[in-house]
């Protein structure tokens, strides 16, 4: 089974469409780690594209804020403006759909899916304490997470050393492969489809091949100008528009 793992799409339809096109024929199922909406210009179109494709979608903090399950006061001003804008545009059906997304972690086929951390769906996994907390919360050797918008993840070796997984697919559309070692444990971040924050503006995703025990990380350029133009037309904040080209 080959799983296409998408995370942090953030209403960026152009990026999503490009990722799906590149991944075509390379996966059997789609899994989504949340934050379908927030920031970008196409919340309804993104939901309607992912919903029929994905076997499981766990909710993200922006999904929760946009459907009223979380207080947007916890967000910074720009994110809050985007939440308010999104909330005003969601169709009733899509609003309801976001409200009913499951919280993570969700176990499937021997691995876990969560937006933030297995310890707390809203927690960022950036530093060593968060990594340790995440690994100590779940027994599964393989967890897929998002939320940080940083492609890669963390690895805990059989002798209990952990280190970051550095992936930098330099070539557009060509995967960088991570073979999974049977004695190790992994926190895998597929990267953000719609708003990367690792200094690389290209859309990110991953494909997990369960039989081959391998994760392939991808980066692909998409038509950024279309997303930015739509955001300007909708009056979304300029810093949110500019950050897309900077990838932070
Ligand atoms: Zn996000």
């Amino acid at each position: 089974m080959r799983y296409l793992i998408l995370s942090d799409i953030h209403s960026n339809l152009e990026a999503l469409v490009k990722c799906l096109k590149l991944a075509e024929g390379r996966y059997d199922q789609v899994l989504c780690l949340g934050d379908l909406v927030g920031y970008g210009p196409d919340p309804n179109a993104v939901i309607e594209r992912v919903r029929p494709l994905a076997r499981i979608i766990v909710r993200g903090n922006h999904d929760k804020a946009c459907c009223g399950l979380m207080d947007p006061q916890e967000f910074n001003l720009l994110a809050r403006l985007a939440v308010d804008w999104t909330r005003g545009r969601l169709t009733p059906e899509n609003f309801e759909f976001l409200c009913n997304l499951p919280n993570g972690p969700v176990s499937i086929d021997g691995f876990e899916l969560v937006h933030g951390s297995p310890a707390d769906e809203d927690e960022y996994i950036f530093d060593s304490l968060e990594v340790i907390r995440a690994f100590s919360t779940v027994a599964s050797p393989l967890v897929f997470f998002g939320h940080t918008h940083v492609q890669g993840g963390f690895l805990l070796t059989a002798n209990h050393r952990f280190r970051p997984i550095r992936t930098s697919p330099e070539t557009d559309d060509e995967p960088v492969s991570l073979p999974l070692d049977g004695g190790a444990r992994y926190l895998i971040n597929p990267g953000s489809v719609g708003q990367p924050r690792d200094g690389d503006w290209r859309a990110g995703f991953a494909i997990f091949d369960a039989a081959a025990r391998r994760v392939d990380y991808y980066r692909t350029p998409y038509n950024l100008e279309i997303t930015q133009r739509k955001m300007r037309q909708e009056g979304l904040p300029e810093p949110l528009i500019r950050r897309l080209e900077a990838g932070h």
Side-chain angles (χ1 to χ4, degrees):
M1 183 70 74
R2 297 161 306 165
Y3 303 88
L4 169 61
I5 321 267
L6 303 172
S7 191
D8 298 283
I9 302 166
H10 285 298
S11 304
N12 190 339
L13 183 66
E14 297 304 315
L16 173 64
V17 167
K18 181 65 196 295
C19 291
L20 291 174
K21 193 165 170 239
L22 174 58
E24 211 175 287
R26 304 182 200 214
Y27 66 89
D28 305 298
Q29 289 190 357
V30 177
L31 305 172
C32 180
L33 307 179
D35 277 2
L36 293 168
V37 299
Y39 297 124
D42 289 304
N44 290 307
V46 163
I47 292 172
E48 284 152 22
R49 191 87 190 219
V50 176
R51 186 177 179 174
L53 277 181
R55 174 177 166 198
I56 291 172
I57 305 170
V58 292
R59 68 188 186 182
N61 54 326
H62 286 258
D63 302 321
K64 285 198 288 182
C66 289
C67 70
L69 289 177
M70 183 177 179
D71 185 355
Q73 293 304 326
E74 294 180 36
F75 287 33
N76 67 41
L77 176 65
L78 293 175
R80 216 156 63 221
L81 287 169
V83 164
D84 289 343
W85 180 89
T86 303
R87 206 189 274 198
R89 270 147 191 88
L90 286 171
T91 65
E93 196 189 1
N94 288 337
F95 185 93
E96 193 65 26
F97 173 72
L98 290 181
C99 281
N100 290 312
L101 289 176
N103 61 316
V106 168
S107 297
I108 68 152
D109 305 347
F111 55 94
E112 308 276 331
L113 307 172
V114 69
H115 182 63
S117 164
D120 177 343
E121 63 174 346
D122 295 328
E123 182 170 293
Y124 291 91
I125 305 179
F126 273 125
D127 66 25
S128 51
L129 274 178
E130 291 149 2
V131 172
I132 291 165
R133 244 160 71 82
F135 276 125
S136 59
T137 305
V138 280
S140 169
L142 181 58
V143 177
F144 291 93
F145 75 103
H147 198 31
T148 61
H149 301 207
V150 175
Q151 194 177 47
F154 300 90
L155 149 72
L156 186 68
T157 65
N159 54 359
H160 302 291
R161 292 181 185 279
F162 74 87
R163 57 173 185 262
I165 298 164
R166 302 214 185 278
T167 54
S168 47
E170 286 179 13
T171 311
D172 292 346
D173 306 348
E174 292 289 334
V176 166
S177 294
L178 174 75
L180 301 182
D181 170 357
R185 296 174 63 192
Y186 295 87
L187 293 164
I188 300 285
N189 190 325
S192 168
V193 172
Q195 197 203 71
R197 293 180 195 160
D198 48 13
D200 182 344
W201 69 275
R202 297 172 300 167
F205 66 90
I207 293 174
F208 167 48
D209 186 326
R213 303 302 297 166
R214 191 183 77 232
V215 175
D216 289 338
Y217 293 94
Y218 286 85
R219 295 309 274 258
T220 188
Y222 67 98
N223 202 328
L224 177 72
E225 291 77 19
I226 292 182
T227 299
Q228 291 181 314
R229 196 184 323 134
K230 286 184 189 170
M231 290 174 78
R232 284 203 179 93
Q233 278 164 2
E234 297 293 345
L236 284 159
E238 192 62 25
L240 294 182
I241 299 169
R242 300 233 69 116
R243 77 187 297 184
L244 289 179
E245 69 206 43
H248 67 64

